[in-house]
Amino acid sequence: MLGTLGAALVDIVGREHVITDADVMASYLVDWTGRWRGQASLVVRPGSTAEVVAVVKTCAHAGVAMVPQGGNTGLVGGSVPARGHGAAGPVVVSLVRLQRRDEVDVAAAQVTVGAGVTLARLQGHVADAHVGLAFGVDLGARDSATVGGLVATNAGGIHFVRYGGMRQQVAGVEVVLADGEVFSRLDGLAKDNSGYDLAGLMTGSEGTLGVITAARLRLVPDLPCRVTALLGLAGTAAAIDVVVALRRDVPALEAAEIFYQEGLELVCRHARLAAPIAGRWGAYLLVECAGTDADSLAGALFRCLTAAGVDEEATAVATEVAGRRQLWAFRERHAEAINNLGVPHKLDVSLPLGKLAAFVPAVHQAVAGVAPEATTIVFGHAGDGNLHVNVVGPAPDDDGVDDAVFRLVAELGGSISAEHGIGRAKIGWLHLTRSAADIAAMQAIKGALDPHGQFNPGVLLPPV
Amino acid sequence: MLGTLGAALVDIVGREHVITDADVMASYLVDWTGRWRGQASLVVRPGSTAEVVAVVKTCAHAGVAMVPQGGNTGLVGGSVPARGHGAAGPVVVSLVRLQRRDEVDVAAAQVTVGAGVTLARLQGHVADAHVGLAFGVDLGARDSATVGGLVATNAGGIHFVRYGGMRQQVAGVEVVLADGEVFSRLDGLAKDNSGYDLAGLMTGSEGTLGVITAARLRLVPDLPCRVTALLGLAGTAAAIDVVVALRRDVPALEAAEIFYQEGLELVCRHARLAAPIAGRWGAYLLVECAGTDADSLAGALFRCLTAAGVDEEATAVATEVAGRRQLWAFRERHAEAINNLGVPHKLDVSLPLGKLAAFVPAVHQAVAGVAPEATTIVFGHAGDGNLHVNVVGPAPDDDGVDDAVFRLVAELGGSISAEHGIGRAKIGWLHLTRSAADIAAMQAIKGALDPHGQFNPGVLLPPV
């Protein structure tokens, strides 16, 4: 059943890109953890910025809300509609067909790509240019996460400690606004102080202010040499001491990831891997440096680790690709090993570095207090104070665990969202760390740019 | 004459901090180039965030506009009121008394400081902590420019090529909004995706959205070794080739500044310096690298310069402080040497790197076309495509030269403001590089956060 709106959209994008069949729609209406499920009247897949403009105007005219969607790898329900709308529900606007990939601008060290390009494809596009450049953000979902979604959620990832997240890479965006006007800043100037930072505002706005159709992204030097080390340490406090020393003394530091004994054992069982280091340790820290000269890289790293008192016996080191991949597997395969246990509550939080050591035991206790049977696995990006608290056991819609964890985070001066966003998952707790004035200012901006609330209602902000 | 408003403000800040004497007020009403002069009813200098709140509420209640002011070193008239208001004019809110300087947070590598702290004082405060950290932004006006103004104008400076500008350093801000509510995000979390990037929006908003009272700033490793080289090159194109190679192959690159024969000769005459390199060159490039190991630093720099074909005979090198200062003087003393010629039109623009070589001769031609008697001196931050076109000769209010230069910039895909902002100086040309949709979106945001237009009217945006 197309209906009047569907027919109008078919006129814009063609019949094959308006999806109304429930079975085909299904994959657009649930996130990959399975925790967030919703309903929509249809899915539309525009193939160009001009088609996005026409879709936005048509939906706005019909008074129908839009849910922009990229690779649908978000973890807070921001890219799937809410439940209970049925056929009268919003339209999912899938941007995966926006595959623009401009030639790499070597002089500017930037590239312009469409919202639908996956991170892996972007990385490949830059590598294929063979101009000594690379993209500074990397994360596990690289094969499905798209540039539009990465920008919309201000994705972080494993190289944040060196290059920052998406906001630091975004030199400009092209966005279709609520009135169908296109706001474009793709000129890619390194320095441009002519007006408010609208590109930065769009980055992390979770589809609530407009539809991002393309981005101009900064590139970083493609560094040929890497040294990776996995360290067994007494606990979180020792790991943070090492991280602080590395950040200060080793500018080549590119990643500093933390995980724990229970996560390591889960990964080893799930992926049939042998333990990388003898013994049981209070915390594991995976660090990686990148540079142009392997010797000076390793020298700087080991000088710093020695000065920090790291036990050489509890250190596994790799400099070649295969060995480095083996070490990374212990960290990167956490997500799949956890999903294998059940539908997780994935609680992405950040803390002041000085509070991490107190937080880790406290969060286990907090979860046990409300869900004694739950399995809690913690891992994350130690360099940024960003932990992923994964809780398996409680039902997807039982938010008692979320509440306990977020209250603890707020108490310790942290954020209820480090890199995943607020989405639908965390609106109820936004007031824990955002003042009324702060939320009111955000609502005023939303009201100014999307006066009829047509973009992603029910995401990021509580209603005014 | 205090008047009702003045009396109310005296009740808040005390008599000595409400300035009504014309002679004392004068320095608050003219920028340091002398090009921008205005009038105000009085100057008020609150000493705390709470006093700023009371001042904002009082002025709002009286319907009087406010011009926030820091060190008043801005170059586009954004920190001085407009002309012609007289005693009924706006109130200048000077933030220089906001001198909060929190202890450096070593674990987070951040520090919180008040809006009135000068850049030099911030640098000293961080250095005095002796924790191996430094502030990533540096610029010539460091002794008078304040943190509030640096944030409000998203200042760039000489280390942008490595660390970016203020927006990259701002981890959070405290802002007094139009309704007197305080919006505070000073928790300094490395990663925080809970809502729109209001701190980023405030950065570069030029005092039009609220009064910035404090900032949480990121710090960078304090690198002990520096190598500085001044290169004589055939021209701009050759200089840009060197910059692109350095940016790609030498991650330690911290500065890449360009100037020209006429500027060098002016500085040598003004400061009584001998020429640093024999001969006359089409462009001079001052490059500086910073790291932890002097040998590998110099090695990487000279390998790259040799590969780029730079003439060793036309290269002056310094690694010690005194020698490096001598080389920097040729670049840094441009501003004072030019001011010595007369009141300059300081046109801060940025171009795509690939267009700089075409722009430099074209801008001399463009200026000569409208002001044949003018002296044009160009210098700037080659690493970022940011040039300062200084024109001495035309009267301060003769904007024919501005118009010619900005039109050329727009034609070549550049920005009419790289790092100085729009202020009052450039509003008339904003449409050259910002679309109607873009300006409308900015006006909508201004309207949402400052509905009565009480902050810095006539700055940055044309009236709706």
Side-chain angles (χ1 to χ4, degrees):
Chain A
M1 256 295 290
L2 265 179
T4 319
L5 176 65
L9 295 176
V10 164
D11 284 347
I12 298 166
V13 300
R15 184 63 189 91
E16 69 273 38
H17 297 300
V18 176
I19 302 168
T20 51
D21 181 273
D23 290 343
V24 185
M25 280 219 304
S27 70
Y28 294 88
L29 302 180
V30 57
D31 81 325
W32 78 272
T33 68
R35 190 175 176 197
W36 300 101
R37 289 170 190 283
Q39 285 165 302
S41 58
L42 53 83
V43 176
V44 60
R45 310 196 314 166
S48 66
T49 302
E51 288 186 6
V52 175
V53 168
V55 165
V56 166
K57 286 185 173 171
T58 302
C59 290
H61 185 73
V64 171
M66 287 160 273
V67 178
Q69 186 181 94
N72 198 14
T73 54
L75 293 164
V76 289
S79 59
V80 289
R83 286 172 195 260
H85 290 290
V91 164
V92 171
V93 183
S94 167
L95 287 317
V96 292
R97 290 178 64 216
L98 301 183
Q99 288 292 330
R100 172 177 176 181
R101 294 188 296 282
D102 287 11
E103 199 183 327
V104 173
D105 181 340
V106 180
Q110 294 178 347
V111 67
T112 299
V113 291
V117 174
T118 65
L119 175 55
R121 193 150 199 181
L122 164 64
Q123 291 167 334
H125 178 64
V126 175
D128 289 348
H130 298 291
V131 289
L133 294 168
F135 187 58
V137 168
D138 193 21
L139 41 78
R142 62 185 73 83
D143 291 314
S144 40
T146 59
V147 164
L150 293 164
V151 174
T153 59
N154 185 28
I158 56 180
H159 292 159
F160 189 98
V161 71
R162 181 159 192 170
Y163 299 116
M166 283 303 293
R167 190 170 287 126
Q168 283 73 40
Q169 323 307 318
V170 172
V173 289
E174 180 186 80
V175 178
V176 178
L177 297 168
D179 53 6
E181 292 292 318
V182 180
F183 150 67
S184 177
R185 284 193 191 171
L186 296 177
D187 35 22
L189 297 162
K191 269 182 179 170
D192 188 353
N193 266 358
S194 52
Y196 303 149
D197 182 23
L198 295 187
L201 182 63
M202 292 296 165
T203 308
S205 62
E206 302 188 35
T208 63
L209 299 178
V211 181
I212 296 166
T213 48
R216 175 88 176 172
L217 300 170
R218 297 190 180 95
L219 302 173
V220 300
D222 184 25
L223 300 171
C225 305
R226 279 183 172 69
V227 180
T228 310
L230 180 60
L231 321 173
L233 296 160
T236 307
I240 296 306
D241 286 347
V242 173
V243 166
V244 170
L246 284 169
R247 276 202 329 202
R248 188 190 53 216
D249 298 333
V250 186
L253 183 71
E254 198 165 88
E257 302 283 307
I258 197 165
F259 50 89
Y260 294 90
Q261 192 67 40
E262 65 270 25
L264 177 64
E265 288 174 7
L266 179 70
V267 167
C268 286
R269 277 200 308 278
H270 169 76
R272 300 177 191 218
L273 298 172
I277 299 173
R280 293 171 59 85
W281 294 90
Y284 293 86
L285 195 63
L286 182 73
V287 301
E288 188 163 89
C289 299
T292 52
D293 177 61
D295 288 344
S296 73
L297 208 58
L301 176 60
F302 292 111
R303 266 196 307 278
C304 182
L305 292 181
T306 304
V310 173
D311 183 353
E312 215 178 306
E313 297 291 303
T315 303
V317 181
T319 54
E320 298 308 316
V321 171
R324 291 180 35 242
R325 276 204 189 133
Q326 275 178 9
L327 292 182
W328 270 103
F330 296 107
R331 161 65 182 83
E332 287 210 318
R333 300 190 72 174
H334 265 71
E336 62 181 80
I338 291 164
N339 272 25
N340 195 46
L341 293 181
V343 175
H345 290 237
K346 296 187 85 72
L347 306 172
D348 156 61
V349 302
S350 74
L351 283 298
L353 277 191
K355 297 289 175 62
L356 279 185
F359 175 75
V360 174
V363 78
H364 280 92
Q365 235 178 330
V367 172
V370 291
E373 307 295 307
T375 303
T376 303
I377 307 282
V378 175
F379 63 93
H381 314 291
D384 330 315
N386 176 191
L387 293 180
H388 300 309
V389 180
N390 286 257
V391 182
V392 183
D397 55 0
D398 171 1
D399 62 14
V401 157
D402 308 47
D403 187 66
V405 173
F406 294 149
R407 285 186 187 280
L408 175 65
V409 166
E411 218 170 87
L412 292 172
S415 170
I416 62 164
S417 174
E419 57 177 12
H420 292 173
I422 297 298
R424 301 179 191 286
K426 300 182 177 180
I427 289 182
W429 295 275
L430 191 60
H431 67 278
L432 290 179
T433 60
R434 293 286 180 235
S435 69
D438 196 331
I439 293 173
M442 292 196 273
Q443 283 165 327
I445 290 170
K446 165 80 172 169
L449 294 184
D450 181 22
H452 306 294
Q454 66 197 41
F455 292 126
N456 239 359
V459 165
L460 200 155
L461 286 170
V464 180
Chain B
M1 256 293 292
L2 266 179
T4 319
L5 175 66
L9 295 175
V10 164
D11 284 346
I12 299 166
V13 300
R15 185 62 189 92
E16 69 273 39
H17 297 298
V18 176
I19 302 168
T20 50
D21 181 273
D23 291 343
V24 185
M25 279 220 305
S27 70
Y28 294 88
L29 303 181
V30 58
D31 81 327
W32 79 273
T33 67
R35 190 175 176 198
W36 301 100
R37 289 170 189 282
Q39 285 165 301
S41 58
L42 54 83
V43 176
V44 60
R45 310 196 314 166
S48 66
T49 302
E51 288 187 6
V52 175
V53 168
V55 166
V56 166
K57 285 183 174 173
T58 302
C59 290
H61 185 74
V64 172
M66 288 161 273
V67 178
Q69 185 179 95
N72 199 14
T73 54
L75 294 165
V76 288
S79 60
V80 289
R83 287 172 194 261
H85 290 290
V91 164
V92 171
V93 183
S94 168
L95 287 317
V96 292
R97 289 179 64 217
L98 301 183
Q99 288 292 329
R100 172 177 176 181
R101 292 186 296 282
D102 287 11
E103 199 183 326
V104 173
D105 181 340
V106 180
Q110 295 178 347
V111 68
T112 300
V113 291
V117 174
T118 64
L119 175 55
R121 194 152 198 179
L122 164 64
Q123 292 167 334
H125 178 64
V126 176
D128 289 349
H130 297 291
V131 289
L133 294 169
F135 187 58
V137 167
D138 193 22
L139 43 78
R142 61 185 73 84
D143 291 315
S144 40
T146 60
V147 165
L150 292 164
V151 174
T153 59
N154 185 28
I158 55 179
H159 292 160
F160 189 99
V161 72
R162 180 159 193 170
Y163 299 116
M166 284 303 292
R167 190 170 288 126
Q168 283 73 40
Q169 324 306 318
V170 172
V173 290
E174 180 186 80
V175 179
V176 178
L177 297 168
D179 53 6
E181 292 292 319
V182 180
F183 150 68
S184 177
R185 285 194 190 169
L186 296 177
D187 34 22
L189 296 162
K191 268 180 178 170
D192 188 351
N193 266 358
S194 53
Y196 303 148
D197 182 24
L198 294 187
L201 182 64
M202 292 296 167
T203 308
S205 63
E206 302 187 37
T208 62
L209 299 178
V211 181
I212 295 166
T213 48
R216 175 89 175 172
L217 300 170
R218 298 191 179 94
L219 302 173
V220 299
D222 185 24
L223 300 170
C225 306
R226 279 183 172 70
V227 180
T228 309
L230 180 59
L231 320 173
L233 296 160
T236 307
I240 296 307
D241 286 346
V242 172
V243 166
V244 170
L246 284 169
R247 276 202 328 202
R248 189 189 53 214
D249 299 333
V250 185
L253 182 72
E254 199 164 86
E257 301 284 307
I258 197 166
F259 51 88
Y260 293 89
Q261 191 66 40
E262 66 269 25
L264 176 65
E265 288 174 8
L266 180 70
V267 168
C268 286
R269 277 199 309 274
H270 170 76
R272 301 179 189 216
L273 298 172
I277 299 174
R280 295 171 58 85
W281 294 91
Y284 293 85
L285 195 64
L286 181 73
V287 301
E288 189 162 88
C289 299
T292 52
D293 177 60
D295 289 344
S296 73
L297 208 58
L301 176 61
F302 291 111
R303 266 195 306 278
C304 182
L305 293 180
T306 304
V310 172
D311 184 353
E312 215 178 308
E313 298 291 303
T315 303
V317 181
T319 55
E320 299 308 317
V321 172
R324 290 179 37 242
R325 276 206 188 129
Q326 276 177 8
L327 292 183
W328 270 102
F330 296 107
R331 160 66 182 84
E332 288 210 316
R333 300 190 73 175
H334 265 69
E336 63 182 77
I338 291 164
N339 273 25
N340 196 46
L341 293 180
V343 174
H345 291 237
K346 297 187 86 71
L347 306 173
D348 156 59
V349 300
S350 73
L351 282 298
L353 277 191
K355 296 290 174 62
L356 279 184
F359 175 75
V360 174
V363 77
H364 280 91
Q365 235 178 329
V367 172
V370 291
E373 307 294 307
T375 303
T376 304
I377 307 281
V378 175
F379 63 93
H381 314 293
D384 330 315
N386 177 191
L387 293 180
H388 300 308
V389 179
N390 286 258
V391 182
V392 183
D397 55 0
D398 171 1
D399 61 16
V401 157
D402 309 48
D403 186 65
V405 172
F406 294 150
R407 285 185 188 279
L408 175 65
V409 165
E411 218 171 87
L412 292 172
S415 169
I416 63 165
S417 173
E419 58 177 12
H420 291 173
I422 297 298
R424 301 180 191 284
K426 300 183 177 180
I427 288 181
W429 294 275
L430 191 60
H431 68 278
L432 290 179
T433 60
R434 292 288 181 233
S435 68
D438 196 331
I439 293 173
M442 292 196 274
Q443 282 165 327
I445 290 170
K446 166 80 172 170
L449 294 184
D450 182 21
H452 306 294
Q454 67 197 39
F455 293 124
N456 239 359
V459 165
L460 199 154
L461 286 169
V464 180

